[in-house]
């Protein structure tokens, strides 16, 4: 089940490290920034100053939404996936450098965060405020805590026993349909498949003769499904429906659709229909 772990763990770790980095930079740069801001403000008309403040507020909202989403960790997931495959292939150091360089061109943290924020550029002030409020919802925070706990459980005897039981005795059709609908609303599998396809293209370009398993997409989707079934194993059906409804929020889905279009894509002709 180690295919799911890099994404979710990276989403958490990358978000924390990026916030810490931003805080450190703010501490160092704040005196200069404040002085420059004051000097600029003195030259602005009241109308221009009001517009400047509005744009600053919008930028803060966009940044907060991106951090709350956890999607910044897609860059770390891409690097983890590339390194995992290189280790499995026992690739020579020169190939490792080539792959790392190619992946970094598309999946470096600053680039990904910029793309995530750019996908919010056309959002209205009302949608930005609604998104921030939604992602701060206690039910979504509880869901993220459950996912974090499930990540920690991966590799444990309890987790492995649960997965083996699932494979021997699949859940009822109604329960499975609920989890699949949640996955669709979260776009969990969708973003994982997109990221993996992009990284695999870079690996194939460097590691001549290497190809991913033919059924890797289906295997990945199955493992995501198992992960979500474990994560929400104690959540009643009504709770899963409620969580799915939150993710189906129109403003959130519009942003996620824009994010998908802005992220690095796999080569033309290989994209899923």
């Amino acid at each position: 089940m180690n295919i799911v772990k890099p994404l979710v763990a990276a989403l958490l770790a990358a978000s924390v490290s990026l916030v810490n980095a931003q805080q450190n930079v703010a501490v160092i740069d704040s005196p200069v920034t404040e002085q420059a801001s004051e000097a600029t403000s003195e030259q602005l008309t009241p109308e221009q100053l009001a517009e400047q403040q509005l744009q600053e507020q919008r930028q803060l909202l966009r940044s907060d939404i991106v951090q709350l989403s956890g999607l910044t960790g897609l860059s770390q997931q891409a690097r983890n996936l590339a390194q995992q495959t290189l280790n499995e292939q026992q690739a020579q150091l020169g190939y490792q450098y080539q792959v790392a360089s190619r992946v970094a061109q598309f999946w470096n943290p600053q680039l990904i965060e910029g793309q995530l924020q750019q996908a919010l550029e056309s959002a209205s002030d009302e949608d930005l405020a609604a998104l921030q409020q939604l992602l701060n919802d206690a039910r979504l925070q509880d869901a993220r805590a459950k996912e974090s706990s499930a990540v920690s459980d991966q590799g444990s005897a309890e987790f492995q026993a649960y997965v083996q039981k699932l494979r021997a005795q699949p859940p009822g059709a109604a329960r499975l349909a609920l989890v699949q609908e949640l996955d669709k609303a979260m776009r969990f599998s969708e973003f994982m498949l997109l990221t993996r396809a992009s990284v695999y293209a870079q690996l194939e370009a460097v590691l001549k003769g290497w190809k991913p398993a033919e059924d890797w997409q289906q295997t990945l989707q199955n493992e995501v499904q198992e992960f979500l079934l474990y994560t929400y194993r104690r959540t009643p059906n009504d709770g899963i429906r409620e969580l799915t409804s939150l993710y189906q929020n129109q403003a959130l889905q519009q942003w996620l659709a824009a994010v998908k279009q802005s992220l690095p894509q796999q080569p033309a002709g290989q994209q899923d229909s």
Side-chain angles (χ1 to χ4, degrees), residues 76-95:
Q76 185 64 50
Q77 189 268 340
R79 295 195 298 273
N80 286 350
L81 172 61
Q83 190 59 58
Q84 177 185 342
T85 306
L86 289 168
N87 291 343
E88 291 171 352
Q89 297 299 309
Q90 298 182 331
Q92 296 179 2
L93 190 59
Y95 290 140

Side-chain angles (χ1 to χ4, degrees), residues 44-268:
L44 297 177
T45 66
E47 293 77 10
Q48 291 173 326
L49 181 59
E51 178 63 24
Q52 181 188 66
Q53 292 172 339
L54 178 61
Q55 293 304 319
E56 289 174 353
Q57 290 172 357
R58 285 177 58 83
Q59 177 58 36
L60 287 173
L61 269 176
R62 288 194 294 267
S63 179
D64 195 35
I65 290 166
V66 167
Q67 295 304 320
L68 286 169
S69 74
L71 289 171
T72 52
L74 287 172
S75 59
Q76 185 64 50
Q77 189 268 340
R79 295 195 298 273
N80 286 350
L81 172 61
Q83 190 59 58
Q84 177 185 342
T85 306
L86 289 168
N87 291 343
E88 291 171 352
Q89 297 299 309
Q90 298 182 331
Q92 296 179 2
L93 190 59
Y95 290 140
Q96 295 198 32
Y97 282 134
Q98 289 184 51
V99 170
S101 177
R102 294 177 69 98
V103 171
Q105 289 179 22
F106 297 100
W107 292 96
N108 74 74
Q110 293 78 15
L111 175 64
I112 295 303
E113 180 169 7
Q115 290 171 327
L116 293 173
Q117 291 206 27
Q118 186 175 7
L120 287 167
E121 285 290 336
S122 61
S124 67
D125 292 343
E126 291 76 12
D127 282 345
L128 289 176
L131 278 173
Q132 185 190 45
Q133 182 177 5
L134 174 67
L135 293 173
N136 271 312
D137 189 288
R139 292 165 293 183
L140 285 184
Q141 291 183 359
D142 180 62
R144 288 193 289 268
K146 287 179 179 177
E147 291 170 10
S148 177
S149 178
V151 168
S152 300
D153 287 348
Q154 287 181 308
S156 69
E158 178 185 5
F159 187 93
Q160 296 302 322
Y162 186 88
V163 169
Q164 291 304 317
K165 182 179 179 180
L166 276 179
R167 294 174 181 177
Q169 185 180 353
R175 180 72 174 184
L176 186 59
L178 284 176
V179 169
Q180 289 173 336
E181 189 67 18
L182 175 61
D183 177 32
K184 180 180 178 181
M186 295 171 67
R187 296 180 179 247
F188 193 175
S189 296
E190 192 173 344
F191 282 123
M192 288 192 71
L193 288 166
L194 184 153
T195 305
R196 183 155 296 207
S198 173
V199 173
Y200 277 168
Q202 307 311 317
L203 286 163
E204 286 187 83
V206 174
L207 303 178
K208 304 303 181 183
W210 176 86
K211 288 186 176 298
E214 291 185 1
D215 63 345
W216 70 265
Q217 293 98 331
Q218 186 59 55
T219 298
L220 179 59
Q221 288 181 316
N222 291 342
E223 292 190 343
V224 168
Q225 186 170 278
E226 290 170 349
F227 176 80
L228 291 176
L229 283 166
Y230 177 85
T231 299
Y232 298 104
R233 65 196 183 280
R234 298 188 182 95
T235 304
N237 288 349
D238 285 346
I240 294 180
R241 291 190 187 96
E242 184 177 40
L243 188 58
T244 300
S245 179
L246 289 173
Y247 277 109
Q248 288 173 335
N249 173 274
Q250 183 178 2
L252 178 58
Q253 287 299 315
Q254 287 176 343
W255 178 46
L256 293 178
V259 167
K260 181 182 178 182
Q261 295 301 315
S262 69
L263 289 174
Q265 303 290 318
Q266 59 198 81

